[in-house]
Amino acid sequence: MRLCGDTFKVKSTFTVRGAIIAFITFFVSVFLLRVPMFMKKQIVREFDPFNNKTRVVYKEAEDGGLAEKMNDIVSRNILN
């Protein structure tokens, strides 16, 4: 079935180069939006008196939740 005497041409609309550029742009933007969340976390040594050992733990820095709030605002407004 033809619409308006022409066939549907997806090949010229969605090119490989355009898809690659869109994918890279999306990946980089998502990564950059998550950087503040990664920056507020840190790996520290913490003494455990119960086991009498020092452990390496993954902790979040005390920043009042600013990085999380900024991430939520930017992600909800840009990605949605």
Side-chain angles (χ1 to χ4, degrees), residues 27-70:
F27 179 77
V28 169
S29 63
V30 167
F31 178 76
L32 291 176
L33 289 173
R34 300 292 184 235
V35 167
M37 295 300 293
F38 294 129
M39 295 300 290
K40 75 177 209 170
K41 299 178 189 308
Q42 56 189 342
I43 298 174
V44 296
R45 287 192 213 172
E46 190 174 84
F47 181 71
D48 183 9
F50 183 73
N51 294 321
N52 196 24
K53 291 183 179 180
T54 301
R55 295 180 171 190
V56 177
V57 293
Y58 190 63
K59 284 191 154 189
E60 290 191 29
E62 298 295 328
D63 69 343
L66 181 63
E68 188 174 346
K69 288 177 187 173
M70 290 301 295

Side-chain angles (χ1 to χ4, degrees), residues 1-30:
M1 179 164 132
R2 290 187 175 195
L3 300 174
C4 301
D6 220 358
T7 59
F8 186 63
K9 296 181 181 180
V10 178
K11 198 174 201 178
S12 62
T13 305
F14 300 105
T15 62
V16 173
R17 184 173 183 256
I20 291 171
I21 290 171
F23 177 74
I24 290 172
T25 303
F26 180 76
F27 179 77
V28 169
S29 63
V30 167

